[in-house]
Amino acid sequence: MLMSSPHRPALFRALGDPTRLAIFELLARQEHSVSELVDKFEVTQPAISQHLGALRSVRLVSTRRSGRHAYYRARPEGLKPVIDWLRHYQNFWPEKLVNLKAVLDKSSKENPHAPRH
Amino acid sequence: MLMSSPHRPALFRALGDPTRLAIFELLARQEHSVSELVDKFEVTQPAISQHLGALRSVRLVSTRRSGRHAYYRARPEGLKPVIDWLRHYQNFWPEKLVNLKAVLDKSSKENPHAPRH
DNA sequence: TAAATGTATAAGCAATGGCTTATTGGTTGT
DNA sequence: ACAACCAATAAGCCATTGCTTATACATTTA
């Protein structure tokens, strides 16, 4: 049976913990085994495994077993609900306020510290 | 002094509660007074005020006072850190995995939660 | 087989979060 | 002035969360 997409609050909640978000960001850059992740954070292995379980439960990461190692990587598609949600607002917010496509089109190197008000 | 943008985990956390996310979504569609929000949810006025305080603390909403009423509305710019974060991934994820622009270009009818006009 | 290794799960604990009722402060209307 | 009203804050309660240590399970290695 096809698994349903996690509810948006659950997705946001999964990303709402600093350690867990950092883990996700590492896994977005490249696959890591659990023990590799343990080496990179100040928490114990069970804590890492629990964070991975939380990320897995909202389908933000996938896992692959090889021998006694478990390799995790981010699932970019897992962010689709967030993207859809932003697109949703795109439809009824004044374009000038947040033009998602324009933002996404921008080169990432331009003014990372642009003023906000 | 210029206020700094909230850290991403804090932003995600603010959106990670179902009631608070629903409040934000209402405020994204149109301005509401606190008492109007109270009428739309099953929680008490203090609970609503606390959620609004949480959203305000990460700059996702702004407030305007008029007489004894306080009117809140969403701040689309408050979502910019989320958009920037997604764009960030755009730069090092294989395009086929999550082409944000493509997703944003898709017709909204395949989105089960498309906005009512 | 036994020991070591990698990971997941169990159990418990302190901190946090979201709610409630009670109260306060500020504004409007009589 | 007083009462009614709107919203924010205080204080307390209970559920959840993120961590820990202890343990279980599977795999590899000696």
Side-chain angles (χ1 to χ4, degrees):
Chain A
M1 137 175 191
L2 197 61
M3 197 168 219
S4 78
S5 177
H7 292 144
R8 274 181 294 256
L11 240 183
F12 285 130
R13 182 177 285 277
L15 298 169
D17 175 78
T19 303
R20 202 155 50 226
L21 181 59
I23 290 174
F24 177 77
E25 290 179 346
L26 264 185
L27 296 179
R29 285 176 171 77
Q30 73 177 78
E31 189 179 70
H32 287 74
S33 70
V34 175
S35 48
E36 286 168 347
L37 291 173
V38 170
D39 291 343
K40 302 215 175 200
F41 292 90
E42 301 266 301
V43 297
T44 61
Q45 174 267 313
I48 297 290
S49 280
Q50 287 158 19
H51 282 307
L52 291 170
L55 292 170
R56 215 173 34 215
S57 76
V58 295
R59 315 202 64 206
L60 278 171
V61 300
S62 62
T63 189
R64 166 177 81 82
R65 281 209 148 269
S66 174
R68 45 188 174 186
H69 294 260
Y71 294 96
Y72 283 80
R73 62 172 64 191
R75 291 184 68 253
E77 325 86 274
L79 288 174
K80 191 166 184 304
V82 175
I83 295 166
D84 289 344
W85 182 77
L86 289 168
R87 179 180 58 183
H88 182 212
Y89 286 124
Q90 174 77 349
N91 292 321
F92 58 84
W93 267 342
E95 178 139 0
K96 62 186 170 226
L97 287 185
V98 56
N99 188 329
L100 281 186
K101 273 179 61 186
V103 169
L104 291 168
D105 280 335
K106 281 181 186 169
S107 127
S108 70
K109 58 170 81 89
E110 75 174 77
N111 60 345
H113 302 293
R116 31 192 176 267
H117 40 280
Chain B
M1 127 175 200
L2 197 61
M3 196 167 217
S4 76
S5 178
H7 292 143
R8 274 183 292 259
L11 240 183
F12 285 131
R13 183 177 284 275
L15 298 169
D17 175 78
T19 302
R20 201 154 52 226
L21 182 58
I23 290 174
F24 177 77
E25 290 179 345
L26 264 185
L27 296 179
R29 286 176 171 77
Q30 72 176 77
E31 191 180 68
H32 287 72
S33 70
V34 175
S35 48
E36 284 167 348
L37 291 174
V38 170
D39 290 342
K40 302 214 176 204
F41 291 90
E42 301 267 304
V43 296
T44 61
Q45 174 267 314
I48 296 291
S49 280
Q50 287 159 18
H51 282 307
L52 290 170
L55 292 171
R56 213 173 35 218
S57 77
V58 294
R59 316 200 65 208
L60 278 171
V61 301
S62 62
T63 188
R64 167 177 79 81
R65 282 208 149 269
S66 174
R68 45 189 172 186
H69 293 261
Y71 294 96
Y72 283 79
R73 64 172 63 194
R75 291 184 66 254
E77 324 87 276
L79 288 174
K80 190 164 184 307
V82 175
I83 295 167
D84 290 344
W85 183 75
L86 289 169
R87 179 180 57 182
H88 183 213
Y89 285 127
Q90 175 77 344
N91 292 323
F92 57 85
W93 267 342
E95 179 141 358
K96 62 186 168 222
L97 285 186
V98 58
N99 187 326
L100 286 182
K101 274 178 56 190
V103 169
L104 291 166
D105 281 337
K106 277 183 187 169
S107 127
S108 68
K109 82 168 57 159
E110 55 184 282
N111 180 350
H113 302 290
R116 21 292 195 213
H117 24 280

